[in-house]
Amino acid sequence: MAGPVDKTAIDWSRLDKKKFFVVGAGLFSGLTTMLYPLSVIKTRQMALEGSQSGLRGAYLTARGVVAHDGVRGLYKGFGTVIGGMFPARMVYLSTLEMSKSVTNSLLHRFDLGDTAAVGAASFVGGAMASLSSQLIVVPIDVVAQRLMIMGGGPPPGGDPSARAAAAAEAAARHHTSGLALARSIVAAEGVRGLYRGFGASLAMFVPNSAIWWGSYGVWQQVLWHQVDRLRGHHWHSEGEILAVQGAAGILTGCTSAFLTNPLDVVKTRLQTAGAEGAAATAAAVAAAPAAQGAQAMAAAAAAGGGSGAAGAAAGVAAGAAARPTWRQVASHLLQTEGAAGFFRGVAPRMASSSIWGTTMVCSYEWLKRLCARPADDDAA
């Protein structure tokens, strides 16, 4: 089953685990910092009523956030994400490598070609990695995404009531922290409020991760076969390795982002439902007067109780009153926006996934080579 990709692959058993985790923590924290603004833009496009789709919508969304909150607006919820993603990322990467290793061992019993074997092992590894990390990821997502849609100016094309709501919300929640918002969610909805959209998250991230890693394994094999056919040998320079892994990352990012975007739109709307400015997601939510939330927030601020935590609690309480389901969100989206609604935010998501895929894969593969123990150590 040996092939050109196997010559650059490093199995979990060969990694120096301590070095892998320490260096990996710094590496992926840096990547998250660089690419975080794309997540904010994507989330606001998906969740806010009146946001335009496509590349122009992404540009208008980013411009609105920067004009209203400055560049720091593109990092709303960043503290929550960067603080919680380290354990999640380490659980994810450990499970990914162990699952791939176990699956590869099992597949040796079958007469599979290189591409099928690598794709299958990577698919299983990606699914298991996402499944194992969701208990940590979902609460971080719920809090961070609600912070992302706070303020940032009214959504492009919004009506006067939406603008009033955005202004009142910004005044009441300007200093809301992730911890304060999490406490407000728990107070209003219990701990399960932090796991809103958990099923949707599993339905989105598990197949997304499986498709991502499975596609990466297949794209990498396909590209290596093409390189070897043109070059006539199986020895690869460091430059060739980086080029192939980078190209595979771009192709993989576009593939997985496009195929799973509908699931991400529904998940994002489920997790942000009830937050001021968020798109209506069920008949009960849509029927609620749009101005009530803004008036309540403005009144709380005028009474001196408009601190970030108090404003967050008001918004969370409103969200708890009408909790939409996966089916309601999808049905409402289809009725109001048609099939195109399921591809809101697909442009920044594909860009983010491709950039992230390229940088993450190249960095991750480099990290594995850096942390690989000599073969003699395994024998010992």
Side-chain angles (χ1 to χ4, degrees):
M1 190 183 297
V5 175
D6 294 334
K7 294 183 179 182
T8 64
I10 298 171
D11 191 76
W12 173 252
S13 61
R14 284 191 56 203
L15 291 176
D16 179 334
K17 310 302 189 296
K18 182 177 179 180
K19 188 176 182 181
F20 179 75
F21 289 138
V22 172
V23 178
L27 183 63
F28 289 108
S29 293
L31 292 177
T32 300
T33 302
M34 289 189 296
L35 298 175
Y36 190 81
L38 287 173
S39 295
V40 174
I41 295 167
K42 179 265 298 183
T43 298
R44 291 183 67 85
Q45 269 194 294
M46 288 182 175
L48 295 181
E49 192 73 63
S51 295
Q52 295 185 28
S53 58
L55 289 173
R56 176 172 171 74
Y59 167 73
L60 292 174
T61 298
R63 190 176 69 174
V65 171
V66 173
H68 190 272
D69 290 330
V71 175
R72 68 178 183 175
L74 296 174
Y75 283 87
K76 282 181 175 288
F78 178 73
T80 299
V81 170
I82 204 68
M85 281 302 178
F86 170 70
R89 188 69 65 186
M90 292 302 101
V91 169
Y92 183 95
L93 294 178
S94 301
T95 307
L96 171 69
E97 290 300 328
M98 287 188 287
S99 298
K100 284 170 61 180
S101 182
V102 170
T103 306
N104 264 323
S105 298
L106 294 175
L107 290 177
H108 272 296
R109 304 174 184 177
F110 304 95
D111 186 19
L112 296 178
D114 291 344
T115 302
V118 171
S122 298
F123 184 92
V124 172
M128 295 304 297
S130 183
L131 188 63
S132 68
S133 62
Q134 286 305 300
L135 285 173
I136 304 173
V137 169
V138 172
I140 296 171
D141 252 0
V142 169
V143 175
Q145 287 180 149
R146 293 196 185 190
L147 287 171
M148 287 177 189
I149 66 173
M150 287 180 179
D159 58 24
S161 63
R163 293 176 181 274
E169 175 207 353
R173 301 187 181 186
H174 186 64
H175 298 295
T176 301
S177 67
L179 183 59
L181 182 56
R183 286 173 176 168
S184 298
I185 293 172
V186 172
E189 304 179 50
V191 175
R192 70 176 183 172
L194 292 175
Y195 285 90
R196 178 183 285 201
F198 182 71
S201 228
L202 288 178
M204 200 285 286
F205 281 117
V206 173
N208 182 70
S209 181
I211 291 171
W212 203 100
W213 286 105
S215 298
Y216 175 67
V218 171
W219 278 120
Q220 196 177 192
Q221 277 282 4
V222 169
L223 292 174
W224 277 128
H225 285 310
Q226 293 301 312
V227 169
D228 290 336
R229 185 176 64 82
L230 294 173
R231 295 289 300 276
H233 62 70
H234 295 314
W235 176 85
H236 306 122
S237 66
E238 188 72 18
E240 284 180 332
I241 292 173
L242 289 174
V244 168
Q245 290 172 347
I250 294 173
L251 293 168
T252 298
C254 290
T255 301
S256 63
F258 183 82
L259 291 177
T260 60
N261 199 76
L263 293 171
D264 198 14
V265 173
V266 175
K267 176 195 75 72
T268 299
R269 292 201 172 190
L270 269 175
Q271 293 181 331
T272 58
E276 282 299 324
T281 52
V285 178
Q292 284 184 355
Q295 291 171 353
M297 296 292 251
S307 65
V316 169
R323 185 176 293 127
T325 65
W326 170 279
R327 180 177 295 181
Q328 285 175 321
V329 172
S331 176
H332 179 80
L333 186 62
L334 186 61
Q335 290 173 6
T336 57
E337 302 185 41
F342 290 99
F343 289 91
R344 273 185 171 275
V346 70
R349 188 166 185 261
M350 288 181 72
S352 176
S353 185
S354 296
I355 296 171
W356 171 260
T358 305
T359 54
M360 187 275 287
V361 162
C362 292
S363 300
Y364 182 57
E365 298 284 10
W366 170 82
L367 174 66
K368 288 171 65 177
R369 293 195 294 274
L370 179 68
C371 299
R373 296 179 301 176
D376 293 343
D377 290 355
D378 297 330

